[in-house]
Amino acid sequence: MEICVVGAGIVGLSSAWFLHKAGHNVTVIDRAGEAGMGASAANGAQLSYSYVQPLADPSLLPGIPKMLLERNGPLKFSPQWSVEQWRWCMEFLAACRTSISRQTTVELLELAHESRLALDAFISQEKVQCDFARTGKLVLYPDAESLRKAGEQVKFQAAQGSRPQKIVSPAEALSIEPALEGYKKAFHGAIHTDSECAVDGRKLCQELARLLSKQGVRFLFDSEVAAFRRERGRITALEIHHAIDGPGLLGTQAVVLAAGAYSAGLLSTFGVRMPVYPLKGYSITLPITDSMNAPTVSVTDMRRKTVFARIGDRLRVAGMVELCGLDASIPVKRIEQLKASTQALFGRGWNSNDCQPWTGWRPATPTGRPILAVSGCDNLYVNCGQGALGMTLAFGSAQRLVRLIGSTAP
């Protein structure tokens, strides 16, 4: 079958990979000039297969007012004349219930396990170079109460078959990651998961695109989907606008919508609402010049709501959640916050003049569950809404997409 995949981030490319392996003729379309330039380009780099607590959790609610009132807090809400922004926020607050959070955790763990197996197999078989490492992860908690709540989540995940995790003291955390020596008085304890991984998302996307191109998959970069041609409830062609060549028409038998933050807008042309909102985040990427200060293990600091992951000879630092629509600006103060967090945890000596500031949008559903569905037309398939777990869930989502297409296509 001729299938167009809209989006060349990790979700779209992994979808294209498994669709191609299933025997379909695949074309990938993306507005950027190369693969992996959206949310996949410089995200947190952590692959969190075993610790998947959704953002929509009742434990978050008490802290929201404080985070919103903090001048440089990790959460920022910029009210807009947008019905969708307010509707998503109301749905998110409604999803902050224990029953919903637990069900989401179960579903995410199952999908993450499938994704882990698929990505491990891909990297092993294709010998791709993408700074993949099984580093393990420490999640640092600032006080006894937050650590207690995290312990409850660990117990629940263990009952669902999650890989081993354990609560460790600051001293035990230092034995796992000595680079935290200067920060040992700033956290009460941590959750250690030795099976977690890290990867350079942009490199992984570029490797996927290279392999797909080599195997005959067509790529249309610098191209946007302007409209869909439909007949009898099915898409028959896409109107494409290329940045240089202008408009064109591309026939197709099916479409996979995996355009991240842009997916909801494209689906709305069918009169269908996709409950996905772009959660803006920031990152910096620092060259490692002093290995004594650089962590080997991935670290998430819950006090600062910031993640750290070593990818090759660089340290990726990422954080913040802003609800401000598709705003691509990068305020200096946000980058300075990430630099300050790096110094707080791992000391000075970082070449912050070469920090490669970046921003991107995590396409998130209110519950945290991704959307894998037929929507709008009989041959339009959605693969979106993985949020901050896009890199973690992409390969499993792609495999499920192929099964969905196989079960619904005529």
Side-chain angles (χ1 to χ4, degrees):
M1 186 161 56
E2 297 285 346
I3 300 180
C4 289
V5 176
V6 183
I10 189 59
V11 173
L13 290 170
S14 55
S15 298
W17 177 261
F18 288 106
L19 288 168
H20 172 68
K21 291 301 179 184
H24 299 288
N25 295 321
V26 180
T27 299
V28 180
I29 306 163
D30 197 276
R31 61 172 54 211
E34 59 182 286
M37 295 303 292
S40 302
N43 53 39
Q46 295 183 357
L47 296 171
S48 297
Y49 296 120
S50 297
Y51 196 70
V52 297
Q53 183 173 20
L55 183 62
D57 187 87
S59 64
L60 178 72
L61 292 177
I64 289 180
K66 180 182 177 182
M67 287 189 285
L68 287 174
L69 291 172
E70 288 178 336
R71 184 176 180 182
N72 295 318
L75 176 63
K76 180 181 178 182
F77 177 63
S78 300
Q80 298 178 325
W81 294 106
S82 166
V83 172
E84 187 52 42
Q85 183 193 55
W86 290 94
R87 184 173 178 180
W88 189 94
C89 288
M90 293 301 101
E91 291 173 341
F92 172 80
L93 292 175
C96 289
R97 302 204 307 268
T98 299
S99 59
I100 294 177
S101 178
R102 289 285 174 91
Q103 182 58 37
T104 299
T105 297
V106 170
E107 294 181 19
L108 293 182
L109 283 172
E110 292 174 351
L111 183 54
H113 176 68
E114 185 176 346
S115 197
R116 180 201 292 270
L117 297 178
L119 179 58
D120 283 356
F122 169 76
I123 290 176
S124 175
Q125 293 167 9
E126 302 299 333
K127 312 297 183 192
V128 299
Q129 300 300 314
C130 55
D131 292 325
F132 175 82
R134 292 180 175 85
T135 58
K137 183 170 74 170
L138 283 165
V139 183
L140 313 182
Y141 290 89
D143 51 55
E145 179 61 15
S146 62
L147 184 62
R148 182 191 66 78
K149 291 179 179 179
E152 293 178 354
Q153 178 74 6
V154 166
K155 290 179 181 179
F156 178 74
Q157 291 179 160
Q160 310 306 314
S162 175
R163 294 198 179 189
Q165 300 173 290
K166 62 179 181 179
I167 299 175
V168 298
S169 67
E172 291 171 319
L174 288 180
S175 69
I176 296 168
E177 182 46 78
L180 288 168
E181 172 66 33
Y183 199 62
K184 61 185 178 183
K185 294 182 180 180
F187 65 99
H188 185 81
I191 303 296
H192 180 228
T193 312
D194 63 6
S195 59
E196 303 291 53
C197 308
V199 69
D200 186 322
R202 183 175 179 181
K203 285 187 177 181
L204 177 57
C205 286
Q206 291 174 340
E207 284 288 274
L208 269 165
R210 179 184 64 82
L211 290 167
L212 285 165
S213 295
K214 187 177 179 181
Q215 295 175 23
V217 170
R218 182 186 181 191
F219 282 85
L220 297 178
F221 289 117
D222 294 314
S223 301
E224 292 191 51
V225 177
F228 300 88
R229 295 277 184 91
R230 288 173 280 175
E231 292 182 11
R232 299 176 183 176
R234 297 179 65 82
I235 297 172
T236 58
L238 303 180
E239 294 181 22
I240 307 295
H241 190 279
H242 188 270
I244 297 175
D245 298 333
L249 196 63
L250 178 63
T252 188
Q253 293 174 293
V255 175
V256 172
L257 191 54
Y262 298 101
S263 295
L266 288 170
L267 189 59
S268 68
T269 63
F270 295 88
V272 176
R273 175 182 178 258
M274 183 193 300
V276 169
Y277 194 81
L279 302 184
K280 185 180 181 182
Y282 302 89
S283 80
I284 57 176
T285 306
L286 298 165
I288 295 174
T289 56
D290 183 357
S291 59
M292 294 295 292
N293 289 340
T296 300
V297 175
S298 292
V299 175
T300 296
D301 182 26
M302 296 304 290
R303 178 188 297 276
R304 296 171 177 270
K305 302 295 189 293
T306 304
V307 303
F308 305 82
R310 187 166 182 164
I311 45 176
D313 58 359
R314 297 157 296 143
L315 181 67
R316 175 67 50 75
V317 186
M320 315 343 176
V321 172
E322 295 185 0
L323 287 84
C324 54
L326 295 174
D327 173 19
S329 64
I330 304 179
V332 172
K333 65 180 181 180
R334 284 308 207 181
I335 301 307
E336 292 303 318
Q337 282 179 254
L338 294 176
K339 292 179 183 179
S341 293
T342 306
Q343 291 186 0
L345 268 75
F346 305 113
R348 298 185 180 275
W350 297 92
N351 182 12
S352 58
N353 293 324
D354 182 25
C355 68
Q356 301 175 40
W358 175 88
T359 189
W361 305 293
R362 315 170 187 97
T365 63
T367 62
R369 302 171 195 166
I371 299 171
L372 288 159
V374 184
S375 189
C377 282
D378 293 344
N379 60 341
L380 176 59
Y381 301 87
V382 175
N383 186 359
C384 187
Q386 285 81 5
L389 293 173
M391 296 298 303
T392 298
L393 303 176
F395 273 64
S397 297
Q399 288 188 325
R400 292 189 179 187
L401 172 77
V402 173
R403 295 197 291 269
L404 175 64
I405 292 176
S407 66
T408 58

